[in-house]
Amino acid sequence: KNEVEQSPQNLTAQEGEFITINCSYSVGISALHWLQQHPGGGIVSLFMLSSGKKKHGRLIATINIQEKHSSLHITASHPRDSAVYICAVIPSNSNSGYALNFGKGTSLLVTP
Amino acid sequence: EPEVTQTPSHQVTQMGQEVILRCVPISNHLYFYWYRQILGQKVEFLVSFYNNEISEKSEIFDDQFSVERPDGSNFTLKIRSTKLEDSAMYFCASSWSAGNEQYFGPGTRLTVT
């Protein structure tokens, strides 16, 4: 069983819609990352969270440590937001390497 | 803005051959990572590197794999005898401190025939 589960796996939205992507994890963590993978394959870090909420432009990320759950929200979605959004965690028992443990990703398509 | 670079962007090799994938991390970063993504699958951790030694490695990172920081700028991943199942996108990443945001390179697509 994967330690990091994302939902939904695929998401299609119309331009302007509010989007939520969820991430649940089963281990204690020291941090959670949200990443964006473009169709060409490149990976960009969006947020790193260990508590609370962060906002950058139209993107908002929240985390609830007690419930082992995080959400990524996109407000006023745009076709250029189309990408795979990946949740990844650093387990708190990481053997000093701070390696990321990835979810399978949520594939988002925003249509005009 | 500083970025992680990787070369080559695409490498095709025959089974059993050795390959070296190269990465130039961001210059003031101290922690370095290799990840791989088999087509259609999730990204998987291979190895992390700090202070000129491996700090953590996954089960995937067996004796066929090795990493090196041969000079002050390059970080390499060597696969000694490639197998078909090594075909994947290999990503290098770096961060300036432990547990901090990781910056990813554009990846090297390795195709083993």
Side-chain angles (χ1 to χ4, degrees):
Chain A
K1 184 182 182 298
N2 199 28
E3 293 176 336
V4 181
E5 298 284 351
Q6 289 185 236
S7 63
Q9 188 175 347
N10 296 288
L11 180 57
T12 300
Q14 280 207 311
E15 184 173 358
E17 284 186 20
F18 181 84
I19 288 162
T20 296
I21 298 169
N22 296 298
C23 175
S24 297
Y25 50 92
S26 57
V27 296
I29 65 168
S30 57
L32 180 144
H33 294 241
W34 281 103
L35 306 135
Q36 182 189 55
Q37 186 168 30
H38 297 288
I43 296 174
V44 175
S45 178
L46 299 175
F47 295 104
M48 187 181 75
L49 294 162
S50 53
S51 64
K53 176 179 174 177
K54 285 190 177 179
K55 185 176 189 291
H56 185 255
R58 294 181 294 105
L59 300 179
I60 303 165
T62 63
I63 188 167
N64 184 321
I65 295 291
Q66 287 74 31
E67 294 186 4
K68 292 188 168 64
H69 181 268
S70 176
S71 294
L72 177 69
H73 306 285
I74 305 175
T75 61
S77 60
H78 191 276
R80 65 175 175 267
D81 296 327
S82 298
V84 176
Y85 292 84
I86 303 172
C87 173
V89 301
I90 298 177
S92 51
N93 64 351
S94 174
N95 189 23
S96 79
Y98 299 93
L100 290 172
N101 185 351
F102 291 77
K104 293 182 180 178
T106 294
S107 180
L108 171 66
L109 176 64
V110 182
T111 59
Chain B
E1 186 176 326
E3 58 182 19
V4 177
T5 59
Q6 289 186 242
T7 53
S9 56
H10 190 190
Q11 172 96 44
V12 181
T13 189
Q14 285 195 321
M15 197 167 55
Q17 294 297 304
E18 174 182 286
V19 294
I20 297 176
L21 309 183
R22 291 184 167 78
C23 169
V24 179
I26 293 173
S27 62
N28 63 343
H29 284 187
L30 301 176
Y31 291 79
F32 313 114
Y33 309 85
W34 282 103
Y35 297 93
R36 80 170 185 192
Q37 185 176 33
I38 295 171
L39 188 63
Q41 298 187 22
K42 69 170 187 166
V43 180
E44 301 173 291
F45 166 71
L46 292 177
V47 65
S48 57
F49 192 85
Y50 168 71
N51 200 25
N52 282 320
E53 60 183 24
I54 291 173
S55 46
E56 187 176 2
K57 60 183 180 179
S58 72
E59 291 176 356
I60 303 167
F61 194 87
D62 61 20
D63 292 343
Q64 293 298 314
F65 291 88
S66 62
V67 289
E68 195 176 35
R69 190 153 160 82
D71 53 43
S73 59
N74 289 283
F75 179 50
T76 62
L77 174 70
K78 183 194 292 187
I79 310 175
R80 276 182 250 291
S81 177
T82 50
K83 307 185 191 77
L84 294 176
E85 54 265 36
D86 294 327
S87 294
M89 182 78 96
Y90 288 80
F91 292 102
C92 172
S94 69
S95 63
W96 72 272
S97 73
N100 212 335
E101 182 177 3
Q102 295 183 22
Y103 292 80
F104 286 78
T108 292
R109 182 168 299 283
L110 176 66
T111 303
V112 182
T113 61

